[in-house]
Amino acid sequence: MAEKVIKRPDSMYSEFARKGGAAPTATHYCPGCGHGIIHKLIAEAMDELDIQDRSVMISPVGCAVFAYYYFDCGNLQVAHGRAPAVGTGMSRARDDAVVMAYQGDGDLASIGLNETIQTANRGEKVAVFFVNNTVYGMTGGQMAPTTMIGEKTVTCPEGRTAEQAGYPLHMAELLNELKAPVFIERVSVSDIGHIRKAKKAISKALKVQKESKGYAFVEILAACPTNLRQSSEESIRFINNQVEKEFPLKNFRDISDCTVPLFRGASDFSKKSLDNIFNLEKDSSLDSVDTPNFGDIGIKIAGFGGQGVLSMGLMVARAACDEQYHVSWYPSYGPEQRGGTSNCSVVISGEAIGSPIVYEPDILVAFNQPSLEKFASDVKKDGVIIYDSTVGNCDHIIPEGIKSISVPATKIAMDAGSKKGANTAMLGIMLATGRTKLPPEAFNKALDETFINKPKLIPLNKKVLNAAVKWAEKNIK
Amino acid sequence: MATQLIKGNTAVIIGALYAGCDCFFGYPITPASEILHEASAHFPKVGRKFVQAESEEAAINMVYGAAAAGHRSMTASSGPGISLKQEGISYLAGSELPAVIVDIMRAGPGLGNIGPEQGDYTQVVKGGGHGNFKNIVLAPNSVQEMCDMTIQAFDLSFKYLNPAFVLSDGVLGQMVEPLKFPEKSISPEPDESWAVCGNAETKHNLVSSIFLDFDQLEEFNFQLQEKYDVIQNSEFDYEEYKIKDASIILVSYGISSRICRSAVDVARQDGIEVGLFRPKTLFPFPGKELLELARSRKCTFISVEMSNGQMREDILASIMYSRPVELVNRMGGNIVTLDGVMKKVYEVADREN
């Protein structure tokens, strides 16, 4: 039999330089506390599994806030309860890292309960070591979510009652309801026999990480003689006789043998891949250029939701973009959308655009009467109002001296074979008026781009556009 | 050179991808959700990492985890979500971690509504969370800048190991303009001098914000302030529009500054000498430049913002209360109007003549 030398594991610093002080080999933990034992078990397991270099230990808020004093591996210290979320970020960024979150009962089961459950539920590649000593430690002995009925703490001085504070949370059982976790076990470090079993569970949880298999959870019942006002012996008896009854020790789950490793793959940072995502080679315009003499054209398009108001605006914007003008499109959102009306502003300009919201349109396109009523009086004196003739006679709404065109947009579209093409018909009328100063090719190209994913609609919409232009040539004087 | 018509919220993710952002963690909230949608659509296509977090707190702490690994990571939200993230942002600043946070501001306080506002100025520009820290804050006013400033935010946050914000609003998020795509993409490498990467090279690194010793923590706080001084002196940025002869100077950022640009043109048609000073960085605030303007001429400033005058306080302090600083503001989801700005311009012009 080989001689066994009991020594400090390599994964634990031999001197705790980060702690400082007069006793560089003593921990900051109280006598009889379970943390020191648990730290050593984790470090031993790290040695045995040869994962020290890959390991990242996440220290919580609580007594183990200084876990980074002790573990000779990459260390993070994080906000109260957030260790599993931080672990998620670390694990996603570093697929190879062995990520450990070390948390107490307040941290894990109270303020961080959401992160705890969700991280387990996503099956993150994180080993969570949950030290349950039924009481808050660092903050001074307050009731924990795991404090037992009748147990006295600073904030339940007469003992916890169910009426006042509900029942202790059973985290291992709770997490065992989830599908994703690979390994869940509850152990204790009350005495030698228990410590041996705890070591096995901790090793297993880390082996799951070493093999990239997913989430592992080890709940460790430990003593807090200081805050529970117990001697070391009393604290051991307390765990063995009372805590274990409330929180039975057992393996809840181990599906590591039938779990396949999860590798998330490397990130691709090449420009070519990104250009492909956005289809830059085929679908891009030339950059906008300044054409100072062009001036500004403000367009307001308004109607009921579903009438293609916003998409018509985008089509105009596309046409302007293709012609290398500066252009902006802005949809109203928020209160104005209530009641089913919507509108958008399009500004076409030869220079950098100021307000993207059009207050005084050069062109108003109104698909319904409320829109006409709302915006007609804003139209510039030399502007034009184009409205759908199904609105009826609106002469009383059109301000005096403003040119208006009543267009049977729906009929033009229907006659050309499109049920939904009233907005394209309006686009054709707008083109025909010449007020946008954009050429017909730009509008046709805009249709190509708009329906790039529904190519059948391209010829149909072009037909509507042309029909509208013809209607305009015939009917607009 | 490639240009496409792009929505502001989408431009953020385009910027992030070309900036080498490796991880996006977010939680849905209107009007910032489209950033989350775009990230979920595009990040996996290039093996970048995307997680829809269970909460805003979880999202910012996932960012903390990836940032601690030295990777480029980000999150995006809107007012109420930013409030929730403040804990994590303080930890990022305290641990000197680089990360980008995008705030598409909506109207508050409380649940408010989803309309645009600029009421997060104070909580973002002044730090917001606990402790003596500041965020680097960039304020885009176009779709192009939504993309470009996201890239710049990554560069600055890594240069100074400090969280950087892109502070935008619901209008900029929703509007569509031509976007000139970035001409290069960045392939970042973690800085192993401080990052914790889960490898032998970085195993002695520690990412932490705890200093038990009062004097040590005080020293760290002073070091942070020195860092902010360097940022203040070297990274401020602003844009001037027709300011040279202006006796009325509009000061405005984000979407409000776009309305102001139109107001300058309208006022000048009426013969009123109005100019626009637009801070592009809110921390560092270009206060010295404002002070120089204030000293260079008799003038009146008008702070134009969609808040209760949060930036106005910085203007007043910058110019040492040496000139009047009027306020034109809207709140509750309403956008500053051209009429509203012009009314104040005429009022000031009448008073001065």
Side-chain angles (χ1 to χ4, degrees), chain A residues 73 77 267 275 283 285 287, chain B residues 3-4 18 22 46 64 203:
Chain A
C73 64
Q77 198 291 311
S267 292
D275 290 353
D283 178 20
S285 315
D287 300 341
Chain B
T3 293
Q4 280 182 4
Y18 282 83
D22 191 28
V46 279
Y64 184 101
K203 80 169 178 167

Side-chain angles (χ1 to χ4, degrees), chain A residues 363-440:
Chain A
I363 305 169
L364 169 66
V365 178
F367 283 87
N368 62 15
Q369 190 168 338
S371 302
L372 200 57
E373 284 169 350
K374 188 168 181 189
F375 297 113
S377 58
D378 297 336
V379 176
K380 280 186 189 159
K381 281 203 177 71
D382 55 352
V384 62
I385 297 173
I386 305 169
Y387 65 97
D388 196 300
S389 55
T390 55
V391 168
N393 186 347
C394 290
D395 289 350
H396 59 291
I397 306 173
I398 308 292
E400 218 180 303
I402 304 274
K403 184 178 171 67
S404 70
I405 306 164
S406 171
V407 181
T410 311
K411 185 172 183 302
I412 293 171
M414 290 286 267
D415 289 349
S418 170
K419 281 182 194 165
K420 290 181 176 174
N423 61 344
T424 306
M426 286 295 206
L427 195 69
I429 304 299
M430 193 190 278
L431 160 64
T433 64
R435 299 254 180 168
T436 61
K437 302 193 211 171
L438 300 171

Side-chain angles (χ1 to χ4, degrees), chain B residues 33-235:
Chain B
S33 295
E34 283 158 334
I35 300 175
L36 180 80
H37 304 170
E38 295 291 335
S40 74
H42 299 312
F43 270 52
K45 289 179 188 163
V46 279
R48 315 277 182 99
K49 314 306 183 285
F50 169 88
V51 179
Q52 181 173 328
E54 60 268 29
S55 66
E56 298 283 3
E57 296 96 321
I60 194 71
N61 280 283
M62 290 175 191
V63 166
Y64 184 101
H71 286 231
R72 292 191 163 205
S73 68
M74 72 180 294
T75 185
S77 190
S78 184
I82 299 297
S83 302
L84 286 167
K85 287 184 196 293
Q86 288 289 10
E87 174 201 54
I89 296 166
S90 171
Y91 274 74
L92 285 166
S95 299
E96 298 202 271
L97 287 178
V100 171
I101 304 140
V102 179
D103 181 2
I104 307 295
M105 290 183 278
R106 59 185 255 182
L111 197 52
N113 65 41
I114 60 168
E117 210 184 61
Q118 296 178 315
D120 290 357
Y121 181 94
T122 302
Q123 78 152 333
V124 169
V125 174
K126 306 297 176 183
H130 58 285
N132 307 302
F133 77 93
K134 286 184 179 181
N135 303 301
I136 296 165
V137 185
L138 310 179
N141 84 343
S142 64
V143 170
Q144 187 67 49
E145 285 188 350
M146 292 285 271
C147 172
D148 296 350
M149 285 189 173
T150 301
I151 297 172
Q152 191 191 355
F154 275 107
D155 292 343
L156 289 173
S157 74
F158 274 78
K159 182 174 176 186
Y160 293 103
L161 300 182
N162 201 72
F165 263 87
V166 176
L167 186 63
S168 183
D169 60 74
V171 179
L172 287 164
Q174 293 302 313
M175 71 191 251
V176 169
E177 289 183 320
L179 173 75
K180 208 188 282 185
F181 270 66
E183 282 170 26
K184 60 172 187 173
S185 69
I186 294 162
S187 307
E189 287 293 331
D191 181 346
E192 292 190 337
S193 70
W194 59 264
V196 173
C197 303
N199 59 20
E201 292 73 24
T202 64
K203 80 169 178 167
H204 293 298
N205 289 342
L206 165 67
V207 170
S208 165
S209 61
I210 191 169
F211 294 87
L212 272 195
D213 184 272
F214 293 2
D215 291 335
Q216 275 182 17
L217 182 55
E218 186 180 44
E219 193 189 324
F220 173 68
N221 268 280
F222 278 121
Q223 281 169 11
L224 279 183
Q225 308 318 307
E226 282 168 22
K227 176 165 88 174
Y228 302 145
D229 285 346
V230 173
I231 295 171
Q232 178 66 55
N233 291 327
S234 45
E235 304 298 348

